[in-house]
Amino acid sequence: MAETRHTRVLIIGSGPAGYTAAVYASRAMLDPILVQGIQPGGQLTITTDVENWPGDTEVQGPDLMVRMEAHARAMGAEVISDHIASLDLSKRPFTAQGDGGTTYTADAVILCTGAQARWLGLPSEEKFKGFGVSACATCDGFFYRGKEIVVAGGGNTAVEEALFLTNFASKVTLVHRRDSLRAEKIMQDRLFKNPKIEVIWNHTVEEVLGATDPLGVTGVRIKDVDSGETREVPCAGFFVAIGHAPASELVRDQLETHMGGYVKVEPGTTRTSIPGVFAAGDLTDHVYRQAVTSAGMGCMAALDAERWLAEQD
Ligand code: FAD
Ligand code: NAP
């Protein structure tokens, strides 16, 4: 049944930024509501080992996010399984419409909607999505046991995905558009030492090749960026790992954004261009994009919101 819920602080998103904001806002007695979205726990739920979360030499991404949710709930945050379809920041209280039929009104909003996987934008990529084309090795790697896989990208995600996929694949080919990787050195070291991985430098993926009956990938056509020559690399699975774009669709026409859609905040704060609206995590960060920095910004957003609300009172 449609209902309206009012809260002092509405937190949108359940990654490290959202849960940390919820912990701090709860401890400030603001009784926050956190709406999880369609990916409860955020991006870390689609990875395995996380080795740079302070206090845990190694922790599984999904486990860490379960703990963060439990922490937020234990501090008193109300965590709701819903997705915000639209947000009206033009007047106070701010209004958010949930897919589940609930309307949320809030004195302050903390946006923590993070980022989503970027795609190459090829028609053939779209055609085979879910039928050999994926952006999540932990979700889909299992389907390629004993088969050949191609991964596109040169950052931490691409290297991590390539390494993880060697658990299933007979061979993994990493195709990168430059002659050096952006990934951390320790990850590169592991990549180069892995006998199942071949790296093809200075090439882009031009097209995903496949069969239609049944629908499935048979290879990719790659192009040498210097000579323009093309060739085919056979594979059953093609994983796109070329970065992530900020999930700012909800607010793009309402808040100032920059650098291709990242929500702009006043330097050193989480204040956006609308008073009472704060942004944290990958949604606003085109530089660091880490779990720990997102959590740090979630903390800042809750403190900024608490101070702003106190000023209004
Ligand atoms: P996200 O984790 O992106 O979460 C966004 C949240 O917003 C989700 O819960 C989503 O459901 C919600 N949401 C979006 N839209 C809506 C909406 N309309 N309504 C409601 N909710 C919404 N970082 C590290 O530090 N170490 C690592 O080892 C590491 N490994 C990674 C591995 C992979 C494969 C990937 C993709 C990323 C990795 N990162 C790692 C980066 C890290 O995951 C991100 O920096 C971090 O998760 C960002 O947190 P966030 O809270 O900003 O948002
Ligand atoms: P990223 O660091 O932005 O790297 C994206 C990679 O894809 C780059 O190598 C880029 O090439 C390539 N690329 C981009 N667009 C392309 C296109 N159209 N065609 C071909 N290649 C393209 O993204 P990410 O690897 O997803 O990482 C995102 C953030 O999460 C980073 O801050 C990263 O550190 C973090 N993360 C951390 C870990 C970890 O700590 N273990 C794991 C995963 C992610 P160029 O290099 O030429 O630009």
Side-chain angles (χ1 to χ4, degrees), residues 115-182:
Q116 285 162 356
R118 233 185 254 283
W119 296 92
L120 290 169
L122 306 169
S124 53
E125 171 191 59
E126 191 58 42
K127 177 177 171 185
F128 291 108
K129 258 185 206 169
F131 296 90
V133 171
S134 169
C136 176
T138 40
C139 317
D140 299 327
F142 188 71
F143 300 121
Y144 302 98
R145 273 163 298 162
K147 298 188 174 150
E148 294 191 20
I149 292 176
V150 169
V151 176
N156 270 330
T157 300
V159 172
E160 216 170 65
E161 303 265 273
L163 285 164
F164 177 73
L165 287 166
T166 59
N167 291 322
F168 312 100
S170 54
K171 179 182 176 187
V172 176
T173 305
L174 183 75
V175 177
H176 183 39
R177 64 181 177 183
R178 289 190 297 125
D179 63 358
S180 65
L181 298 169
R182 191 179 283 274

Side-chain angles (χ1 to χ4, degrees), residues 13-14 35-42 45 81-84 99 116:
S14 56
V35 177
Q36 289 181 306
I38 54 174
Q39 190 177 46
T45 59
S81 172
D82 198 355
H83 174 262
I84 301 300
D99 270 348
Q116 285 162 356

Side-chain angles (χ1 to χ4, degrees), residues 181-238:
L181 298 169
R182 191 179 283 274
E184 285 168 281
K185 295 290 176 243
I186 188 170
M187 304 290 291
Q188 296 193 28
D189 198 42
R190 286 179 203 163
L191 182 93
F192 298 139
K193 280 187 183 148
N194 193 308
K196 275 193 179 177
I197 298 178
E198 179 191 353
V199 183
I200 300 182
W201 303 104
N202 299 313
H203 277 74
T204 52
V205 173
E206 287 293 289
E207 194 170 358
V208 184
L209 310 167
T212 43
D213 193 18
L215 202 57
V217 169
T218 55
V220 290
R221 184 158 58 245
I222 60 171
K223 183 169 137 190
D224 188 317
V225 294
D226 298 319
S227 67
E229 264 175 49
T230 61
R231 67 180 156 117
E232 291 180 10
V233 182
C235 64
F238 173 52

